[in-house]
Amino acid sequence: MLDAFLALQTYSFAAIQLTSLTALFVVTLSAALPLLLAGLGGLYSERSGIINIGLEGMMLGGAFAAGVTSFWLPQHTILGPWLGLAAAGTTGLILAGLHAYVCIHMRSDQIISGVAINILVAQGTVFLSMYLFGGKGGSPQVNTLPEWAIGPFTITPILLLGVGLLLLSIWSIWHTPFGLRLRACGEHPKAAQSAGISVQKIQFTAVLISGLLAGLGGAVLLNEAGRFGKEMTAGRGYIALAALIFGGWKPIPLLGACLFFGCAFALKDQLSVFIGFSIPSELLSMLPYIVAMLALCGFVGKVHAPASLGKTEQSH
Amino acid sequence: MNSAKHVLFESWCTLLSLVAALILGGLVLLYIGASPAHVYQQLILGAVGRLDLLNETLAATTPYLLCGLALSLAFKAGLFNIGAEGQLFMGAMAAAIVGRYMTTPYLGACIVLLVAFGVGMFWGAIPAWLKIRFGVHEVINTIMLNAIAFAACTYVLKLPSIRLNAATPQTADVARQAQIGALKLGGLQLDRGLLIGMLIALGLWYIIRRSWVGFEIRVVGAQPEAGQTAGISERKVLFWVFACSGGLAGLAGGFFVSAPAHPYFQMGFSPGWGFWGIALALLARNHPLALLPAAFLFGMLETGSGQLQLTTGIPREIAYLLEALIILFISSRIFHKQLDPHGKYTHA
């Protein structure tokens, strides 16, 4: 975690000089995108009643898989980063499968399982990357996805993917039979079961989707950084969860919360440029976290959590 | 339910989890082309093979033990104190800053430890208050408070009045009179922090098992509604348990910075004791006395892996990977389900 924090200090958006509000918007967007993907993952999982603290580990695992895939493939293949994206999603799926098995099938504690996954991935990726890349546990520079410049904006395939997945999530959770069943499992699993829904199957699917999305979020992060670093997610999985709660477990407010946290991340490097006098960077780096804590205290109004969130025993 | 049988069953499942973690870790070692038997042998020899290494292992056990106690106390009341690492950092930093001026023998050391405990308590009381006042789950808040603590410590270490002109930013040394050396028994050096940690473990075991306070804590952890009916103030119990949990984590930091080998605070001092405390609490099933061997195992892995890296060049992170696998096997309760499908022993 300390390494993660230090990584956040050094790996930031310092490379981009913020000279205008447009630039701030661009940085906000790129900081918000991994949060949004992980947050959407959390949305599926928690709407079905399963807490997924393991988002952090699934993101990190995704970032690692994407980095290794890009690194292993010949440097000239443009396919590398795309396959990396697929590998990241797959890694997220596998880790989520583990979480789902432990939480739903074994009915173990959901938070402990998530924490275990986070610790396993944090230590496992460091060990494996020390073995693969040597040194302090980071990868060399890898190929990243293409960018298309349109005016002052750069459109990345990932941005399109993020928007697409957001729309897909809204549609699938609110306008399909699957979404209705998903929400029923999170609110009142016994009622859902009486209606003939297989609660376990729905929850398993939801957790798998959440891992897939979190893994993709990790790949996005890797794509922005250009290389894998030790604990490079730096708590973004947790911030995504905070954004999910902040957004009241709804996709559009979730998007707003992610942009808000993204803006806090972007501002932490550049706030002094805007306000004209300098604030120590360490104090500014607290900003996203303090904002998250205040947000959770309900200074944004009461939110309604899925009624059966975290209570697996009840669903059987 | 027979309590002895229950303990035996839990120990058996823990042992199986350890073995399973060693086997999986062995597969990883085979994958990177190392001999598992050789590596495990080196790990053990590097931890207890010589008297000086054993002394090092004993000293390395202290922070694991105190953080494990912090976490298991919180777990007893149903609290997830993921913020032990932040509480540890705040306690250690405060102790190091105050310790510089503590030139009175004995009293100085006591004040240093009290400051560490108090500041850890304060950092643990914040999420406790947020939980009972606003109903915010402590997991996210403690994670945020960790990040804030790291930022705060980095900032304080940059202040001209605190920072020492060393290669890595660090505080001035804790005054020599306030440093706490090891108790020497022949060649064996027993870390005094470890001794106090063992006393705290005994005390906690007694309090949780035998006293009214301990009963209240267990009721709040198991059945808060029943506790309310019995007139137990859930809020009060949660607040003080969380604060004391933070205090224990802070105390681990206090003992670390008052050891003569490294009597100062710097950012990289902890390999994540606060987080490993979660694993330890799981490993010991929140039992204060079972934490003693568990913490010693982690201390062994700490020292042994350092030696392993020196002699064979295998990254010491293999130890953390093993610890992560242990926590994974235990948290999944896979052996409980396999050996006891009807939950006969688990709900004693």
Side-chain angles (χ1 to χ4, degrees):
Chain A
M1 181 75 186
L2 174 65
D3 285 308
F5 171 72
L6 295 177
L8 191 66
Q9 294 274 70
T10 46
Y11 157 65
S12 53
F13 307 93
I16 305 166
Q17 286 293 315
L18 283 186
T19 46
S20 64
L21 284 172
T22 326
L24 179 67
F25 178 72
V26 171
V27 179
T28 298
L29 214 57
S30 64
L33 198 56
L35 295 180
L36 177 68
L37 286 176
L40 285 175
L43 183 67
Y44 275 98
S45 176
E46 303 218 337
R47 274 285 174 176
S48 83
I50 307 286
I51 300 174
N52 195 351
I53 290 272
L55 284 178
E56 173 79 6
M58 293 169 197
M59 273 181 105
L60 187 60
F64 178 72
V68 170
T69 310
S70 280
F71 175 74
W72 268 344
L73 288 169
Q75 285 298 303
H76 303 293
T77 8
I78 45 162
L79 221 59
W82 294 99
L83 285 176
L85 208 59
T90 315
T91 309
L93 263 182
I94 294 170
L95 290 169
L98 187 66
H99 186 61
Y101 179 76
V102 169
C103 294
I104 301 164
H105 187 76
M106 310 296 281
R107 288 182 225 171
S108 294
D109 191 286
Q110 297 168 9
I111 291 179
I112 288 184
S113 166
V115 169
I117 285 175
N118 291 345
I119 292 182
L120 179 73
V121 176
Q123 303 304 332
T125 51
V126 170
F127 180 77
L128 286 178
S129 61
M130 280 180 108
Y131 165 69
L132 287 172
F133 311 122
K136 287 215 133 193
S139 80
Q141 204 73 19
V142 293
N143 281 350
T144 52
L145 289 166
E147 290 178 354
W148 305 305
I150 299 174
F153 300 104
T154 43
I155 304 290
T156 59
I158 285 170
L159 186 65
L160 298 179
L161 182 76
V163 173
L165 285 173
L166 176 70
L167 296 176
L168 188 68
S169 302
I170 296 172
W171 177 72
S172 71
I173 298 179
W174 267 268
H175 301 282
T176 63
F178 168 73
L180 185 64
R181 287 173 191 162
L182 180 84
R183 285 177 288 136
C185 291
E187 297 294 339
H188 203 314
K190 277 188 179 151
Q193 202 169 24
S194 310
I197 298 169
S198 167
V199 177
Q200 289 206 355
K201 214 178 268 176
I202 295 278
Q203 288 181 330
F204 224 101
T205 315
V207 174
L208 285 180
I209 295 174
S210 88
L212 176 71
L213 291 176
L216 289 178
V220 172
L221 208 56
L222 180 100
N223 203 60
E224 276 164 21
R227 55 179 291 275
F228 177 79
K230 186 178 179 183
E231 292 183 42
M232 68 182 294
T233 39
R236 282 183 177 78
Y238 301 121
I239 300 236
L241 275 185
L244 182 64
I245 300 171
F246 192 18
W249 289 270
K250 292 190 186 85
I252 295 292
L254 169 71
L255 173 68
C258 289
L259 287 172
F260 184 63
F261 285 123
C263 189
F265 272 117
L267 272 179
K268 119 188 137 49
D269 291 319
Q270 306 290 338
L271 188 64
S272 40
V273 179
F274 278 94
I275 58 175
F277 58 88
S278 85
I279 297 174
S281 64
E282 293 80 21
L283 297 185
L284 275 177
S285 69
M286 296 179 188
L287 193 70
Y289 305 105
I290 293 176
V291 166
M293 284 178 69
L294 290 177
L296 292 174
C297 286
F299 286 112
V300 284
K302 276 283 158 215
V303 289
H304 168 70
S308 181
L309 186 60
K311 300 171 190 160
T312 342
E313 282 91 341
Q314 281 194 354
S315 57
H316 302 284
Chain B
M1 171 49 56
N2 189 331
S3 157
K5 260 190 183 165
H6 172 68
V7 170
L8 206 67
F9 176 72
E10 289 285 342
S11 315
W12 179 233
C13 289
T14 307
L15 198 68
L16 283 177
S17 300
L18 288 176
V19 171
L22 285 179
I23 292 174
L24 248 179
L27 289 179
V28 175
L29 284 170
L30 278 179
Y31 171 69
I32 69 164
S35 147
H38 180 66
V39 167
Y40 291 151
Q41 190 194 7
Q42 288 296 317
L43 263 179
I44 294 172
L45 284 180
V48 292
R50 285 199 318 264
L51 198 57
D52 61 319
L53 292 174
L54 177 64
N55 289 338
E56 210 177 305
T57 301
L58 286 175
T61 304
T62 310
Y64 281 115
L65 177 62
L66 285 169
C67 287
L69 287 172
L71 263 296
S72 44
L73 175 63
F75 273 126
K76 277 280 177 203
L79 287 168
F80 276 92
N81 183 8
I82 314 266
E85 187 78 356
Q87 293 144 15
L88 172 89
F89 266 71
M90 295 305 274
M93 184 188 65
I97 291 171
V98 172
R100 181 182 183 178
Y101 307 104
M102 293 298 129
T103 46
T104 326
Y106 301 110
L107 183 67
C110 289
I111 293 177
V112 166
L113 293 180
L114 272 179
V115 165
F117 192 85
V119 171
M121 255 183 131
F122 170 69
W123 211 247
I126 299 172
W129 182 73
L130 291 174
K131 184 184 174 78
I132 55 186
R133 174 70 183 76
F134 298 102
V136 192
H137 199 285
E138 65 276 12
V139 165
I140 303 241
N141 268 337
T142 47
I143 290 163
M144 301 296 146
L145 279 167
N146 281 339
I148 293 170
F150 298 149
C153 290
T154 317
Y155 175 66
V156 169
L157 276 182
K158 278 195 181 162
L159 295 176
S161 55
I162 304 284
R163 183 182 177 158
L164 205 70
N165 280 324
T168 27
Q170 63 179 53
T171 62
D173 282 6
V174 169
R176 202 171 36 79
Q177 294 89 336
Q179 292 175 15
I180 305 166
L183 190 68
K184 292 190 177 61
L185 296 170
L188 192 68
Q189 295 181 5
L190 269 176
D191 189 54
R192 282 201 169 81
L194 184 62
L195 291 176
I196 294 173
M198 285 159 85
L199 285 179
I200 294 175
L202 260 178
L204 271 183
W205 173 74
Y206 181 81
I207 288 170
I208 289 171
R209 270 288 136 207
R210 300 259 177 258
S211 75
W212 174 247
V213 178
F215 176 70
E216 287 193 342
I217 292 173
R218 282 184 288 143
V219 169
V220 167
Q223 277 291 339
E225 295 87 1
Q228 248 152 10
T229 319
I232 295 171
S233 166
E234 189 190 351
R235 294 174 158 215
K236 210 158 120 186
V237 170
L238 288 182
F239 183 83
W240 286 107
V241 165
F242 217 141
C244 288
S245 170
L248 284 172
L251 193 62
F255 272 117
F256 187 84
V257 298
S258 54
H262 32 68
Y264 48 79
F265 172 80
Q266 61 177 30
M267 283 309 279
F269 80 108
S270 159
W273 290 310
F275 297 110
W276 291 119
I278 306 168
L280 280 168
L282 275 175
L283 189 59
R285 300 284 186 288
N286 301 333
H287 195 298
L289 297 183
L291 267 171
L292 297 174
F296 185 69
L297 174 71
F298 276 43
M300 273 177 67
L301 283 169
E302 173 92 34
T303 320
S305 63
Q307 289 294 316
L308 180 76
Q309 191 167 358
L310 278 178
T311 52
T312 63
I314 291 169
R316 66 175 312 171
E317 271 71 15
I318 183 69
Y320 300 135
L321 187 66
L322 283 178
E323 289 166 15
L325 288 173
I326 296 172
I327 176 177
L328 190 74
F329 275 111
I330 290 181
S331 69
S332 71
R333 302 183 71 78
I334 185 156
F335 294 113
H336 287 77
K337 286 278 154 62
Q338 291 301 321
L339 299 176
D340 176 28
H342 307 297
K344 257 162 56 189
Y345 296 113
T346 32
H347 301 294

